[in-house]
Amino acid sequence: MADSSFDIVSKVERQEVDNALNQAGKEISQRYDFKGVGASISWSGEKILMEANSEDRVKAVLDVFQSKLVKRGISLKALDAGEPQLSGKEYKIFATIQEGISQENAKKVAKLIRDEGPKGVKAQVQGEELRVSSKSRDDLQDVIALLKGQDFDFALQFVNYR
């Protein structure tokens, strides 16, 4: 019998991020506490730019955006937001969306699977994802449960389960 396998990836659907950004922009334009503070949120190349005329307001813009991401099912671990920076009279926060599992993070996950996972489960790094395979599908389910119970500083999704 062939091995069963699944892939561990860290991907974010760009369209969902875009939808969350548009919803946050709409809420910011309509909310009373954002009137007259120059609050905005938009794409700036591959980064997300949040602006307002005070540090508290720009942090509130980030908070609104984070709540929209959560509602759309996007893990906040995928959002890497910087600290507010003063630029002229405006405060700005640049945020990026993290995708892919770095080599050292993939090695951490593979080591965890080797050390704490069921025997006979193999994990191999393939670029920015991790392929986990085993003869037993139950062992793969145990690995998924083990990884969901861990608190990594990056988002994980499990795909191509077969």
Side-chain angles (χ1 to χ4, degrees):
M1 187 173 112
D3 281 2
S4 298
S5 68
F6 69 90
D7 295 333
I8 302 172
V9 297
S10 182
K11 290 191 175 147
V12 175
E13 200 165 323
R14 172 80 180 213
Q15 186 61 51
E16 289 297 320
V17 174
D18 206 32
N19 290 342
L21 186 124
N22 291 334
Q23 285 179 338
K26 194 175 285 185
E27 182 174 322
I28 288 163
S29 70
Q30 293 173 350
R31 267 182 43 181
Y32 178 76
D33 57 334
F34 286 119
K35 295 278 188 238
V37 296
S40 68
I41 182 169
S42 61
W43 286 106
S44 174
E46 283 297 304
K47 292 184 176 186
I48 298 163
L49 171 64
M50 291 160 265
E51 297 177 299
N53 65 4
S54 74
E55 190 173 346
D56 292 341
R57 288 292 103 205
V58 79
K59 285 181 177 177
V61 170
L62 176 61
D63 192 47
V64 168
F65 181 55
Q66 287 175 334
S67 72
K68 298 302 179 189
L69 286 175
V70 168
K71 283 183 183 170
R72 293 221 153 255
I74 298 171
S75 172
L76 291 182
K77 292 178 181 177
L79 180 70
D80 182 26
E83 289 299 311
Q85 300 167 335
L86 183 59
S87 172
K89 293 181 180 175
E90 295 273 306
Y91 279 88
K92 297 180 179 186
I93 294 179
F94 285 99
T96 55
I97 301 296
Q98 302 282 323
E99 288 199 290
I101 302 174
S102 67
Q103 287 293 327
E104 64 266 6
N105 286 338
K107 286 178 184 172
K108 273 190 225 170
V109 173
K111 183 176 180 346
L112 178 75
I113 291 170
R114 248 192 336 272
D115 294 348
E116 296 183 27
K119 298 286 177 247
V121 176
K122 296 186 287 292
Q124 40 204 153
V125 178
Q126 297 179 330
E128 291 190 335
E129 56 185 51
L130 203 65
R131 167 78 40 94
V132 180
S133 57
S134 172
K135 294 208 181 302
S136 164
R137 285 181 167 228
D138 290 342
D139 286 350
L140 293 181
Q141 293 286 346
D142 293 343
V143 169
I144 290 175
L146 169 72
L147 294 177
K148 282 185 176 179
Q150 298 296 314
D151 186 30
F152 294 109
D153 56 350
F154 51 97
L156 293 179
Q157 291 88 32
F158 307 102
V159 296
N160 297 338
Y161 186 82
R162 55 182 173 267

